[in-house]
Amino acid sequence: CPVLEFVAVFPPTGQRSVITVTSVIGHIFQLEFDGEHSSDLVDLYTAPVVKVFTDSARKARLAEHLTDLAKDSAQLCLWLDADREGENIGFEVIALCKEYFDETKIHRAIFSALTKDEVRASFQALGRPNADVARGVDTRQELDLRVGIAFSRLLTRHLR
């Protein structure tokens, strides 16, 4: 992932700072069942699940990339889509970098367009990431996994 740097006053500190910018490639983690699970459809709803790196995040060595940048940074500012998925991806970044930033050093930009005025306004009005919104996406992902696998198995059994 590319890394860009520029100098600007960082609004939360009011100090002139080197701003380092990088990107992610969508979700960093995905849910999978943890180990073997029963072929009983009902068991799919209680089987343990675990978050693992997506193939794209693993190939891009995204965890190493983000933690290397975090080690040399004093603040973390998340600029992701202003929707539930963007909020969830932000918390995936936080999960990787949390040992380097306490809660007061993590910021969230909310913007709806990539225009000069919108980006400047967002930079001046940084907020905090919303864990409740991110957990909502986690819940939806878990339901998608459980219901999707159960439904696929049910169809497979029915169509044999």
Side-chain angles (χ1 to χ4, degrees), residues 3 8-9 24 26 33-34 46 52 54 63 78 88 90 96 109 113 120 125 127-128 132 146 150 155 160:
V3 176
V9 173
V24 295
F33 287 106
D34 190 15
T46 57
V52 298
T54 62
L78 303 163
N88 188 265
L96 291 172
R120 282 187 174 162
R128 299 283 180 210
D132 292 333
R146 293 180 189 285
L155 279 177
R160 279 192 182 159

Side-chain angles (χ1 to χ4, degrees), residues 6-81:
F6 63 94
V7 176
V9 173
F10 189 61
T13 64
Q15 296 179 338
R16 195 164 167 81
S17 306
V18 174
I19 310 291
T20 303
V21 179
T22 193
S23 61
V24 295
I25 43 182
H27 280 281
I28 300 168
F29 297 104
Q30 65 187 20
L31 278 181
E32 291 182 356
F33 287 106
D34 190 15
E36 293 295 318
H37 47 277
S38 168
S39 60
D40 185 350
L41 296 179
V42 174
D43 290 343
L44 290 173
Y45 291 93
T46 57
V49 293
V50 62
K51 281 191 172 193
V52 298
F53 287 107
T54 62
D55 289 340
S56 58
R58 190 174 22 263
K59 288 176 189 169
R61 300 178 48 84
L62 204 49
E64 294 87 349
H65 174 70
L66 292 173
T67 55
D68 284 348
L69 291 173
K71 289 175 190 173
D72 297 326
S73 301
Q75 308 271 337
L76 174 63
C77 186
L78 303 163
W79 288 76
L80 299 145
D81 291 348

